[in-house]
Amino acid sequence: MKTLKYWHFLFIQLLASLLFILPFKSFSQEYAIPDTYLIKDICHCDIDLDGDYDLILSSNSYALPDSLFIFLNDGIGYLTKISLCRSNGIFVQCGLINDDNYPDIITSDADNILFMQNNGDTTFGEEVILAPTYGGRVIEYITDMDGDSLNDLVYTYSAYYCKWGILKNEGNLQFTDHVIFDDGMGGNLFPRIGSLNDDSLPDACLSYLPTGIHTLMNNGNLTFDTSLLCTNKASPRICKLNLTPPDDILIFSHNTDELILYENLGNNVFMNRNTLPLIDALSSTDIADLNNDGYDDYSFALCLWSGCTDSIYISINDHNWTFYKPQQYYVGPMELFRTGTADLNGDNFSDIIMYGYSPRNAFKILWNDGFGSFSYENPVGINERLNQSTKLKISLKPNPFSTFSLITIKSTINSELKIVINDLYGRPIKEFNAGKIKINEPIEIKWDGRGFSDQEIPKGIYLLIVSDNQHNTHTQKIIKY
């Protein structure tokens, strides 16, 4: 008996060792970067044009040169790190700058704003100086501000300058500086860019001006018609608070613990639709449509410095100019807390990337399950990479779908099929009696998004499981929105 226990103990030890030695893919809730001590900024874009969002991080280290890190996405949320040992400053942005189709990188060193050309093979050219930083100029947006089909660079300052402007893209990596606002008094200024009228030009909304919050309607020649929205000195966001264009404005007023909602009535007319209490909230995060209902939602943290709560709070728009009670999600000991949103696993729902907590050299992804909740387990990664049978071929068109999806199944053997649709908890919500299938003679099944008893199922991610009487199985995600 002692001998059996001894060998059992050795087996457990060996298995534990293999888990650390053998390579495997997992969906960790935290991505640590040991070769840096601080993540300064994160942006996302499809850097390799494979159809999914990748992450680009700006960081610095006491021991190593400042570096950029690219996390390439495999399409379902598994991220592979690529290090670029480049000098960089406090920001990183990506977007189309030159005349190819690959998103380039804009960052900085201590003195200059830098351009890095995307070569299209996950390598990048050397830094090209575009403009001086003047001690703290930060690129906030890469977008075409004047309608000439070239993306311009919208900047502000990280230091104490009440100033913002646009580096106009003249082509061939030549940029001219257009200062839009400079009162010479100092103080932070954060321009928000979005669509506030019916034309195609990006407009702006500004905070922390001496008189309050202003809207700036774009004239198309890098000039703006400025109007006072309200006297609050707070942080505005341009977003969709109803289904009627153009965009509306949400004001996150941590000075008065209020969330102020303005409806855009057109012709630069805004109406205050509601003012909501926002108890103890200090830092708002990204505004995004988190459940694909056409209405933007928001999230916030309770403070910016250490010793505070360790959670992020997410509040969903209720379609009636208010929001549901915030959901609380654990993050970790927070310091400077920032977020971004992007669909990282291809399920058509925006996930939340969080950084600026403790440890400073890590970031987390809060996965959106499409049912109005979030978790640290990637729902698409679960069951998505099982060993699929080569004898069964499945196509889903369209996927994601809103009204119906056509399921086409082909087999390389004669067999009888069983077709089940499960939710992410493994519970069957629909079964189809497909019967027999002949070699290379496809069958088609139309699913209208209804479950048992012909009941409409909620929007979200489901698993289509096809198996035959020869023990062949194929699993594929199917998304209803």
Side-chain angles (χ1 to χ4, degrees):
M1 182 63 67
K2 290 183 179 180
T3 302
L4 287 176
K5 288 183 177 180
Y6 174 76
W7 285 110
H8 181 262
F9 172 78
L10 286 182
F11 175 77
I12 296 298
Q13 291 289 93
L14 177 62
L15 181 61
S17 299
L18 287 174
L19 289 177
F20 289 97
I21 296 174
L22 295 178
F24 67 97
K25 291 190 174 182
S26 65
F27 293 86
S28 170
Q29 64 171 309
E30 187 168 82
Y31 295 81
I33 308 176
D35 36 359
T36 184
Y37 84 96
L38 173 64
I39 296 175
K40 293 181 176 180
D41 196 15
I42 295 181
C43 67
H44 67 271
C45 61
D46 187 3
I47 203 75
D48 52 2
L49 295 188
D50 64 350
D52 50 55
Y53 285 120
D54 310 296
L55 299 181
I56 301 96
L57 282 66
S58 171
S59 68
N60 59 10
S61 170
Y62 289 122
L64 300 173
D66 289 356
S67 296
L68 294 173
F69 297 93
I70 297 176
F71 282 78
L72 293 178
N73 192 346
D74 71 344
I76 63 170
Y78 180 78
L79 305 176
T80 302
K81 185 181 74 172
I82 297 176
S83 300
L84 302 175
C85 290
R86 308 292 181 92
S87 60
N88 62 88
I90 62 173
F91 73 89
V92 62
Q93 296 286 350
C94 58
L96 298 175
I97 301 298
N98 53 17
D99 55 2
D100 62 22
N101 292 320
Y102 285 94
D104 307 300
I105 292 177
I106 299 292
T107 182
S108 72
D109 58 17
D111 302 310
N112 298 293
I113 295 171
L114 304 173
F115 162 84
M116 292 169 50
Q117 178 171 316
N118 187 344
N119 296 326
D121 56 0
T122 69
T123 65
F124 292 82
E126 295 300 318
E127 294 98 331
V128 176
I129 297 174
L130 298 184
T133 60
Y134 295 127
R137 181 155 52 176
V138 175
I139 303 303
E140 300 283 0
Y141 297 90
I142 299 177
T143 186
D144 181 8
M145 294 297 295
D146 54 358
D148 64 355
S149 300
L150 295 174
N151 280 334
D152 310 300
L153 307 179
V154 180
Y155 68 81
T156 183
Y157 281 83
S158 62
Y160 296 102
Y161 297 96
C162 202
K163 177 178 177 178
W164 78 283
I166 298 169
L167 291 173
K168 174 177 166 50
N169 191 344
E170 307 286 1
N172 298 318
L173 297 184
Q174 300 298 312
F175 289 80
T176 55
D177 192 359
H178 294 257
V179 178
I180 306 301
F181 181 88
D182 181 5
D183 69 354
M185 296 175 59
N188 291 326
L189 184 68
F190 302 110
R192 308 294 182 179
I193 304 300
S195 177
L196 293 177
N197 56 21
D198 294 329
D199 63 27
S200 59
L201 295 170
D203 306 300
C205 189
L206 290 185
S207 63
Y208 301 128
L209 298 177
T211 54
I213 296 175
H214 291 69
T215 59
L216 287 81
M217 300 299 175
N218 193 340
N219 292 320
N221 54 1
L222 299 186
T223 64
F224 297 82
D225 293 331
T226 304
S227 300
L228 179 67
L229 176 69
C230 62
T231 57
N232 296 78
K233 296 178 177 62
S235 178
R237 298 290 193 276
I238 297 176
C239 57
K240 300 181 186 301
L241 298 177
N242 64 4
L243 298 180
T244 304
D247 291 347
D248 310 297
I249 294 176
L250 177 149
I251 298 174
F252 191 95
S253 181
H254 57 74
N255 296 320
T256 57
D257 287 333
E258 291 178 338
L259 195 71
I260 308 170
L261 312 181
Y262 278 90
E263 181 181 8
N264 191 341
L265 302 179
N267 298 318
N268 204 15
V269 177
F270 294 84
M271 180 173 65
N272 185 347
R273 292 299 302 264
N274 206 351
T275 301
L276 307 173
L278 198 61
I279 307 302
D280 294 329
L282 185 60
S283 60
S284 66
T285 57
D286 278 18
I287 309 297
D289 183 3
L290 296 173
N291 56 354
N292 285 354
D293 61 358
Y295 295 78
D296 279 337
D297 314 297
Y298 77 97
S299 58
F300 64 91
L302 293 192
C303 62
L304 289 170
W305 302 105
S306 59
C308 305
T309 180
D310 53 7
S311 298
I312 185 173
Y313 295 81
I314 300 172
S315 189
I316 302 298
N317 196 321
D318 77 343
H319 303 181
N320 194 31
W321 296 99
T322 186
F323 291 83
Y324 293 113
K325 181 180 178 180
Q327 306 169 64
Q328 180 182 6
Y329 295 94
Y330 173 80
V331 177
M334 287 196 302
E335 295 185 8
L336 296 175
F337 188 82
R338 301 178 67 184
T339 71
T341 56
D343 176 14
L344 296 176
N345 57 0
D347 64 358
N348 213 36
F349 295 99
S350 293
D351 309 299
I352 298 177
I353 307 108
M354 299 172 291
Y355 61 106
Y357 55 90
S358 181
R360 299 180 182 179
N361 64 340
F363 67 94
K364 290 184 179 181
I365 298 173
L366 195 56
W367 300 100
N368 188 344
D369 70 359
F371 292 92
S373 297
F374 298 80
S375 73
Y376 289 116
E377 294 293 332
N378 182 353
V380 174
I382 299 172
N383 293 324
E384 179 67 17
R385 291 218 157 184
L386 299 175
N387 291 328
Q388 305 285 25
S389 170
T390 58
K391 295 181 173 60
L392 293 171
K393 304 293 183 183
I394 300 175
S395 69
L396 303 170
K397 293 182 180 180
N399 186 30
F401 75 96
S402 59
T403 56
F404 74 89
S405 181
L406 190 63
I407 304 169
T408 304
I409 305 169
K410 183 186 290 187
S411 177
T412 60
I413 60 174
N414 293 322
S415 59
E416 292 187 4
L417 294 183
K418 180 181 179 181
I419 303 172
V420 181
I421 296 176
N422 289 350
D423 63 18
L424 291 178
Y425 299 99
R427 299 173 299 200
I429 55 102
K430 184 70 174 179
E431 292 184 4
F432 298 96
N433 295 319
K436 294 182 179 180
I437 185 172
K438 295 181 180 180
I439 297 176
N440 294 326
E441 291 187 8
I443 63 171
E444 293 183 343
I445 294 173
K446 186 177 180 180
W447 184 40
D448 61 0
R450 297 182 180 272
F452 296 122
S453 303
D454 204 35
Q455 295 295 313
E456 185 79 16
I457 64 168
K459 300 174 182 179
I461 307 167
Y462 298 89
L463 296 175
L464 171 66
I465 303 172
V466 180
S467 57
D468 62 22
N469 57 351
Q470 304 297 318
H471 306 292
N472 298 299
T473 302
H474 190 106
T475 303
Q476 189 166 338
K477 71 177 182 290
I478 183 169
I479 302 168
K480 181 177 184 291
Y481 70 93

